[in-house]
């Protein structure tokens, strides 16, 4: 009798585990094959508007930079600011990184990359600390960036062509 109960217990455990695994696979698959959720899209849009407001308040000008969610960024990059050959400024955000760290992407990466975009707009292409100069740090802080004074060596500014 006891053995039987144990058997059913483990049987149930296996079923639940398989279902959980299938659910997680499904969730990953959904994430990988679909655009970001509307909720996330909205959060990104709102963060961008806030950042632009801070830019206007602190520096007296506006800069509307497209934020493009891309799956083609190398996984080492959370985001990248690009100054294209025809002198357009674009921010790329790594879609894969939204899966486990959407808060980090919104509150940390967007102001960080926006500060690079502002540097491009001001035609400051300084390579000091891979683009994270004192001037950049100051802009990053004013845009409510987090940990702007830490040296980050992610090579996230790109001038010219990209394959994103
Ligand atoms: Zn950077």
């Amino acid at each position: 009798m006891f053995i039987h109960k144990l058997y059913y217990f483990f049987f149930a455990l296996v079923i639940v585990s398989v279902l959980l695994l299938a659910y997680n696979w499904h969730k990953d698959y959904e994430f990988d094959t679909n655009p970001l959720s509307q909720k996330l899209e909205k959060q990104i849009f709102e963060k961008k508007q806030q950042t632009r407001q801070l830019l206007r308040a602190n520096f007296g000008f506006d800069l509307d930079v497209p934020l493009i969610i891309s799956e083609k960024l190398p996984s080492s990059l959370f985001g990248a600011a690009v100054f294209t050959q025809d002198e357009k400024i674009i921010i790329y955000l790594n879609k894969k990184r939204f899966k486990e760290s959407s808060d980090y992407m919104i509150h940390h990466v967007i102001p960080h990359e926006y500060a690079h975009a502002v540097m491009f707009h001001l035609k400051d292409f300084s390579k000091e600390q891979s683009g994270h100069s004192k001037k950049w740090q100051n802009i990053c802080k004013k845009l409510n960036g987090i940990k702007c004074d830490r040296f980050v060596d992610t090579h996230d500014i790109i001038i010219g062509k990209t394959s994103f």
Side-chain angles (χ1 to χ4, degrees), residues 112-113 116 132 136 152 154 156-157:
H112 180 116
E113 299 305 335
H116 284 308
H132 307 93
W136 172 85
V152 262
T154 50
D156 61 333
I157 59 170

Side-chain angles (χ1 to χ4, degrees), residues 84-113:
T84 67
Q85 278 169 326
D86 48 354
E87 306 200 350
K88 287 195 182 90
I89 303 168
I90 301 170
I91 291 173
Y92 286 94
L93 299 171
N94 193 339
K95 186 189 169 205
K96 289 171 240 166
R97 294 294 191 147
F98 276 95
K99 201 186 309 196
E100 66 282 338
S101 36
S102 60
D103 276 356
Y104 182 82
M105 290 298 289
I106 288 161
H107 300 295
H108 193 126
V109 179
I110 290 177
H112 180 116
E113 299 305 335

